[in-house]
Amino acid sequence: MADIARLAGVSTSTVSRALSGSKLVNDETKTRIAELAKSLNYSINIGAQNLRLKQSRTIAVVIPSDSATRQHLTDPFFLGMLGSLADALTERGFDMLVSRVDAEQLDSVSQIYDTGRASGIILIGQWRHHDQLNELALRQVPLVVWGAQLPKQLYVTVGSDNINGGKLATRHLLDQGRRAIAFFGDIQLPEVSQRYQGYCAALSEAGLPAREELVIAASFVEDGGKLAVTELCARQVTFDALFACSDLLAMTAINSLRERGLSVPDDVAVVGYDDIELARYFHPPLTTIRQPMPVAGLALVDALLQQIEARVSQALLLETELIIRRSSQ
Amino acid sequence: MADIARLAGVSTSTVSRALSGSKLVNDETKTRIAELAKSLNYSINIGAQNLRLKQSRTIAVVIPSDSATRQHLTDPFFLGMLGSLADALTERGFDMLVSRVDAEQLDSVSQIYDTGRASGIILIGQWRHHDQLNELALRQVPLVVWGAQLPKQLYVTVGSDNINGGKLATRHLLDQGRRAIAFFGDIQLPEVSQRYQGYCAALSEAGLPAREELVIAASFVEDGGKLAVTELCARQVTFDALFACSDLLAMTAINSLRERGLSVPDDVAVVGYDDIELARYFHPPLTTIRQPMPVAGLALVDALLQQIEARVSQALLLETELIIRRSSQ
């Protein structure tokens, strides 16, 4: 207010009176002071607005990080997704702002948008953040999430058909004559839970029950497969097949089975999930459920751009596909 | 000027006179108008400055893209580097802005810095851009490049010891009794050229010449290894070993050798370069030269932060290491 007073050549109390609409200040001065106040704000806004325009060619890709596990960005699925998004954004003329946000403070994601650093947000890693993501959607932050469609969902998801993926994997193992099929995955995660639904449905089609003792809550960490095999063997339950909810889980499990003298696929037939680049080069080459990675990047980007431009976009479910290789037959 | 006049409550000609220092305007008004003019600019600058500060927690990672080859971001080495950088930047409290820039217009990189979108730039993919990178360094853009140290270099590089890497690979193949060692790589690229120097040095130590007919200018594209094997076989030269300048080249070459009925390592011993994640899972597991990826991300980030803070940083050479697996023995 002191600045405005000095610049307008009046006293601070005049500015104060003028801004509060007092009749003690004449109209010419009142208008001048109002304009001056507005103008000073306005010029700051121009700055922000210009910067926002310049930066509108930026989309943020957020990968929540769990401070407990300190998961590093070495998981080939996440890296493949990053590459796919970078290619898709380049093709559409955008830069990619990669930000890892503490999973416990997911609402801080909106700052990236509010400050004009990005025109919208693609979030990879739905995990258990359903409620927080709904809040972000309510705040009208342009947002697309890679993950599963859930009941009472206010945000837009692009994901692959996890239920069918689980069905395809399990049916294939049943077709190979396997009957005791272990399941590796943490069913508290939405995508894994849907894969488990598919697994149960396929077993049910074959007249088999889903047996609790064959389900291991394996997590997507580097030695997840090894830990899961250890737990399964400790339960002393017989099994002749394994459906793992990521290729990395499947691969580390296979290496662990081999160390225990079990042969893949003869003793245990294995199906993974994702079809990461190295699945085909693995020994033995890995049977898996393919998530359509190159398509996924473009689908996420286009869903977000549609939302930014038209303020509307729909959830999208991409097809999953069974890729049969040596590890299961 | 009209705006300043209106806001100061004087005529435009008074503003004009005041700003040009005319004695016809009294000092009080002159000061007021100068301040007002400055203030309007100033507030815009505050906007930009605030945004720059807010954004100073962002580092740009630029991967030049060659419009001719339209190389996609699926190369596991680039993806591994992106992951390593994302982890390192997160650890240091920064976001990562990924930008692919046309390799022919590399000087446009400086815009990312000039507009305050990032505090500095890490460039992956030195390729043939030596002169352009020198120009960027002259323009005082905080910049660190992943690549080889070259003569007359004004920019800062962080890279691994390519000459020693080439030596280690070639010596190892010589130790296995191999004498006709093919070299796959485009020696016009600085890093590959240094690996080739190491290859020649190791051959020379063993009293062997570097034979031109064994060198194939293979490029880092998806089927590079296959094309290189085809060309080598077309030359009808005998060879019992192969040193490929990337793991992907080595892997696609091995698959191609296998299709031609040649066994690895019995007929052809193979050494790759990089030690990407899938090298150990490959069939046969791949002998390779490890570039220290987790260290590389932190080294690049810290070299750049040092440059931003202290306006000085030194080139850094990371050690390379021979990792012996089945493909070479």
Side-chain angles (χ1 to χ4, degrees):
Chain A
M1 209 170 282
D3 283 342
I4 296 176
R6 204 177 61 250
L7 295 169
V10 298
S11 70
T12 358
S13 51
T14 304
V15 174
S16 174
R17 284 193 202 105
L19 290 176
S20 63
S22 162
K23 287 185 176 167
L24 296 174
V25 184
N26 71 47
D27 282 349
E28 186 267 333
T29 309
K30 230 187 271 181
T31 311
R32 205 150 57 84
I33 285 168
E35 272 198 66
L36 189 50
K38 193 178 150 207
S39 188
L40 285 169
N41 271 327
Y42 185 61
S43 55
I44 291 171
N45 286 344
I46 285 178
Q49 201 179 341
N50 279 345
L51 275 148
R52 189 182 287 255
L53 281 173
K54 268 182 204 152
Q55 277 149 19
S56 71
R57 304 310 283 180
T58 303
I59 297 295
V61 174
V62 173
I63 303 167
S65 71
D66 185 341
S67 52
T69 61
R70 283 179 55 84
Q71 185 199 26
H72 282 270
L73 252 186
T74 47
D75 185 294
F77 175 77
F78 278 120
L79 288 181
M81 183 62 95
L82 264 193
S84 170
L85 283 166
D87 282 336
L89 287 167
T90 301
E91 199 162 303
R92 298 286 187 257
F94 283 79
D95 287 332
M96 173 170 87
L97 180 73
V98 179
S99 183
R100 303 210 70 187
V101 169
D102 188 329
E104 298 306 310
Q105 302 181 337
L106 212 59
D107 52 351
S108 69
V109 160
S110 63
Q111 281 179 14
I112 299 170
Y113 173 71
D114 294 338
T115 56
R117 298 174 69 198
S119 310
I121 290 161
I122 292 171
L123 191 134
I124 311 294
Q126 188 178 23
W127 306 113
R128 301 177 186 86
H129 309 314
H130 184 60
D131 295 336
Q132 289 166 288
L133 294 172
N134 269 344
E135 276 171 39
L136 281 175
L138 278 175
R139 285 161 69 180
Q140 308 237 305
V141 176
L143 172 73
V144 174
V145 177
W146 173 264
Q149 283 178 41
L150 298 175
K152 295 187 185 166
Q153 172 179 307
L154 301 173
Y155 53 94
V156 171
T157 47
V158 170
S160 63
D161 190 340
N162 292 294
I163 298 178
N164 197 42
K167 258 188 220 164
L168 290 172
T170 312
R171 269 189 207 143
H172 168 69
L173 289 167
L174 291 166
D175 287 347
Q176 307 300 308
R178 310 292 168 143
R179 285 297 171 268
I181 304 171
F183 179 95
F184 282 9
D186 179 357
I187 58 174
Q188 289 194 42
L189 303 177
E191 288 181 288
V192 173
S193 160
Q194 295 187 341
R195 289 169 205 174
Y196 180 70
Q197 280 177 50
Y199 162 86
C200 293
L203 288 175
S204 170
E205 283 170 6
L208 294 171
R211 292 162 52 201
E212 214 175 288
E213 67 270 27
L214 286 171
V215 177
I216 307 278
S219 72
F220 295 137
V221 292
E222 218 165 310
D223 54 354
K226 187 177 177 158
L227 294 172
V229 166
T230 305
E231 190 177 332
L232 185 61
C233 290
R235 289 186 188 172
Q236 299 192 302
V237 53
T238 52
F239 60 100
D240 57 12
L242 162 58
F243 169 37
C245 279
S246 84
D247 286 345
L248 209 60
L249 267 184
M251 289 173 183
T252 50
I254 288 174
N255 288 342
S256 191
L257 290 168
R258 197 182 286 139
E259 278 170 19
R260 291 168 180 268
L262 291 166
S263 137
V264 173
D266 294 342
D267 297 323
V268 184
V270 177
V271 178
Y273 208 101
D274 293 339
D275 195 25
I276 58 175
E277 187 98 359
L278 61 85
R280 85 189 70 179
Y281 298 114
F282 190 72
H283 179 67
L286 190 67
T287 296
T288 188
I289 302 297
R290 174 178 292 168
Q291 302 210 65
M293 196 57 73
V295 180
L298 267 180
L300 282 161
V301 169
D302 287 348
L304 183 62
L305 294 183
Q306 202 190 346
Q307 197 181 127
I308 291 169
E309 284 157 20
R311 291 274 147 202
V312 64
S313 70
Q314 287 193 315
L316 186 65
L317 200 61
L318 305 172
E319 276 183 27
T320 41
E321 191 186 350
L322 173 69
I323 307 294
I324 301 174
R325 300 199 183 97
R326 259 313 273 150
S327 70
S328 64
Q329 58 165 16
Chain B
M1 210 170 282
D3 283 344
I4 297 176
R6 205 176 61 250
L7 294 169
V10 298
S11 71
T12 357
S13 50
T14 305
V15 174
S16 173
R17 284 191 202 107
L19 290 176
S20 64
S22 164
K23 287 184 178 169
L24 296 174
V25 184
N26 71 47
D27 281 348
E28 186 268 332
T29 308
K30 232 188 270 182
T31 311
R32 206 151 56 84
I33 285 169
E35 269 198 71
L36 189 50
K38 195 179 147 204
S39 189
L40 285 169
N41 271 326
Y42 184 62
S43 56
I44 290 171
N45 287 344
I46 284 178
Q49 203 180 339
N50 279 345
L51 275 148
R52 190 182 286 254
L53 281 173
K54 266 183 206 151
Q55 278 150 18
S56 72
R57 304 310 284 181
T58 303
I59 297 295
V61 173
V62 173
I63 303 168
S65 71
D66 185 342
S67 52
T69 61
R70 282 179 57 83
Q71 184 198 27
H72 282 271
L73 253 186
T74 48
D75 185 294
F77 175 77
F78 277 119
L79 288 180
M81 183 62 96
L82 265 193
S84 171
L85 283 166
D87 282 335
L89 287 168
T90 301
E91 199 162 302
R92 297 285 187 257
F94 283 79
D95 287 333
M96 172 170 86
L97 180 73
V98 178
S99 182
R100 304 210 69 188
V101 169
D102 188 330
E104 299 305 310
Q105 303 180 337
L106 211 59
D107 51 351
S108 70
V109 161
S110 63
Q111 282 179 15
I112 299 170
Y113 173 71
D114 294 339
T115 55
R117 298 173 67 199
S119 309
I121 291 160
I122 293 171
L123 191 134
I124 311 295
Q126 188 178 23
W127 307 113
R128 301 176 186 87
H129 309 313
H130 184 59
D131 295 337
Q132 289 166 288
L133 294 172
N134 269 344
E135 277 172 39
L136 282 174
L138 278 175
R139 285 161 68 180
Q140 308 237 306
V141 176
L143 171 73
V144 174
V145 176
W146 173 263
Q149 283 178 42
L150 299 176
K152 296 186 185 167
Q153 172 180 305
L154 301 173
Y155 54 94
V156 171
T157 48
V158 170
S160 62
D161 190 340
N162 292 293
I163 297 178
N164 197 42
K167 260 188 219 162
L168 289 172
T170 312
R171 270 189 206 142
H172 168 70
L173 289 167
L174 291 166
D175 287 348
Q176 307 300 309
R178 310 291 168 143
R179 284 297 172 266
I181 304 171
F183 179 94
F184 282 8
D186 179 357
I187 58 175
Q188 289 194 41
L189 303 177
E191 289 181 288
V192 173
S193 160
Q194 295 186 342
R195 290 169 203 174
Y196 180 69
Q197 279 177 52
Y199 162 86
C200 293
L203 289 175
S204 170
E205 283 170 6
L208 294 171
R211 292 161 54 200
E212 213 175 290
E213 67 269 28
L214 285 172
V215 177
I216 308 278
S219 72
F220 294 137
V221 292
E222 217 164 312
D223 53 354
K226 187 176 179 158
L227 294 172
V229 166
T230 305
E231 190 178 332
L232 185 61
C233 291
R235 289 185 188 173
Q236 298 193 303
V237 54
T238 53
F239 60 100
D240 57 12
L242 162 58
F243 169 37
C245 279
S246 85
D247 285 345
L248 208 61
L249 267 184
M251 288 174 184
T252 51
I254 288 173
N255 287 342
S256 190
L257 290 168
R258 197 182 285 139
E259 279 170 20
R260 290 167 181 269
L262 292 165
S263 136
V264 174
D266 294 341
D267 297 322
V268 184
V270 177
V271 178
Y273 208 100
D274 292 337
D275 195 25
I276 58 175
E277 188 99 358
L278 61 85
R280 85 189 68 180
Y281 298 113
F282 190 71
H283 180 66
L286 190 67
T287 296
T288 187
I289 302 298
R290 175 178 293 169
Q291 302 210 66
M293 196 58 74
V295 180
L298 267 180
L300 282 161
V301 169
D302 287 348
L304 183 63
L305 295 182
Q306 202 190 345
Q307 198 181 126
I308 291 168
E309 283 156 20
R311 291 273 148 203
V312 63
S313 71
Q314 287 193 315
L316 187 65
L317 200 61
L318 305 171
E319 275 182 29
T320 41
E321 191 186 350
L322 173 70
I323 307 294
I324 301 175
R325 299 197 183 99
R326 262 309 278 151
S327 70
S328 64
Q329 58 165 18

